[in-house]
């Protein structure tokens, strides 16, 4: 287990790889706190693999639950349950330059109402400039302005599979999938309740 105020885990591995498993992570934050509860960073060919049982944050901070970054290495994030409270919140944010990104989140809820300039307001977001992105979720929900249940942005193929996704924020896009060489969405129930919000956005190609 790990806990923080709000940083609980911060692993900087350089060109080495990260393989971390944590059963429970908790964090609390004041309104002036800004940061990531769990951070994993590699460069070069270093890959990132993180498995988390539960991640819970309380308080009023501006938080990202899990922030994973790599250069050429693949990123694989699995979270069974994530629940973040705060002013501005984002759940899982995984970004790679050339590596593939794979995120699995059974239940992810981000409750901050404002837009988070560090990590948007998304329950789950995977971005790879030159690789593929795959997101799998059971229940993904966001309350933040402009927030999405899942965002997949890929330099090659983007794929999202989710049973239920809900956005409550103004100008939100509940599911946003974009891949330069292909985009696939497999979904059950998708709901957008905010003003000027869209349920589904799927884009393939450079246009």
């Amino acid at each position: 287990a790990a806990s923080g105020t709000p940083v609980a885990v911060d692993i900087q591995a350089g060109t080495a790889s990260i393989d971390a498993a944590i059963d429970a992570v908790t964090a609390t934050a004041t309104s002036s706190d800004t940061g990531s509860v769990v951070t994993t960073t590699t460069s070069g060919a270093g890959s990132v693999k993180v498995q988390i049982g539960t991640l819970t944050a309380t308080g009023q901070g501006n938080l990202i639950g899990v922030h994973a970054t790599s250069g050429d290495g693949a990123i694989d994030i699995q979270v069974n349950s994530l629940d973040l409270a705060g002013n501005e919140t984002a759940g899982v944010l995984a970004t790679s330059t050339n590596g593939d990104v794979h995120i699995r989140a059974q239940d992810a809820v981000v409750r901050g109402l404002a837009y988070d300039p560090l990590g948007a307001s998304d329950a789950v977001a995977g971005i790879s400039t030159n690789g593929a992105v795959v997101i799998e979720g059971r229940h993904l929900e966001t309350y933040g302005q402009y927030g999405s249940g899942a965002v997949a942005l890929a330099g090659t193929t983007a794929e999202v599979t989710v049973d239920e996704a809900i956005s409550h924020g103004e100008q939100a896009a509940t599911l946003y999938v974009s891949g330069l060489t292909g985009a696939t969405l497999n979904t059950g129930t998708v709901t957008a309740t905010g003003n000027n919000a869209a349920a589904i956005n799927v884009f393939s190609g450079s246009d």
Side-chain angles (χ1 to χ4, degrees), residues 122-182:
D122 307 318
V124 176
I127 302 167
S128 179
T129 305
N130 299 306
V133 174
V134 175
I135 293 175
E136 300 172 76
R138 186 184 64 82
H139 171 80
L140 307 177
E141 186 169 5
T142 175
Y143 286 80
Q145 185 179 24
Y146 311 127
S148 296
V151 173
L153 304 177
T156 58
T157 58
E159 180 177 351
V160 172
T161 299
V162 60
D163 293 339
E164 182 183 35
I166 305 170
S167 69
H168 299 280
E170 182 180 0
Q171 295 181 281
T174 310
L175 296 174
Y176 193 101
V177 187
S178 178
L180 285 180
T181 64

Side-chain angles (χ1 to χ4, degrees), residues 1-55:
S3 62
T5 56
V7 177
V9 177
D10 188 348
I11 305 173
Q12 312 285 330
T15 57
S17 293
I18 295 171
D19 190 342
I22 311 167
D23 58 351
V25 180
T26 57
T28 186
T30 67
S31 59
S32 61
D33 288 328
T34 298
S36 300
V37 179
V38 176
T39 299
T40 56
T41 305
T42 64
S43 59
S47 61
V48 176
K49 183 177 182 180
V50 178
Q51 295 177 292
I52 296 173
T54 62
L55 192 159

Side-chain angles (χ1 to χ4, degrees), residues 56-149:
T56 305
T58 58
Q60 299 177 324
N62 306 322
L63 302 178
I64 299 174
V66 180
H67 191 184
T69 307
S70 76
D72 299 329
I75 297 176
D76 187 339
I77 307 293
Q78 179 176 337
V79 179
N80 291 339
S81 176
L82 181 150
D83 194 316
L84 294 185
N87 296 328
E88 303 169 356
T89 53
V92 177
L93 174 60
T95 62
S96 180
T97 303
N98 297 312
D100 294 339
V101 174
H102 189 182
I103 302 171
R104 289 162 287 174
Q106 288 296 309
D107 191 354
V109 181
V110 291
R111 303 184 183 277
L113 299 180
Y115 171 72
D116 184 350
L118 294 178
S121 306
D122 307 318
V124 176
I127 302 167
S128 179
T129 305
N130 299 306
V133 174
V134 175
I135 293 175
E136 300 172 76
R138 186 184 64 82
H139 171 80
L140 307 177
E141 186 169 5
T142 175
Y143 286 80
Q145 185 179 24
Y146 311 127
S148 296

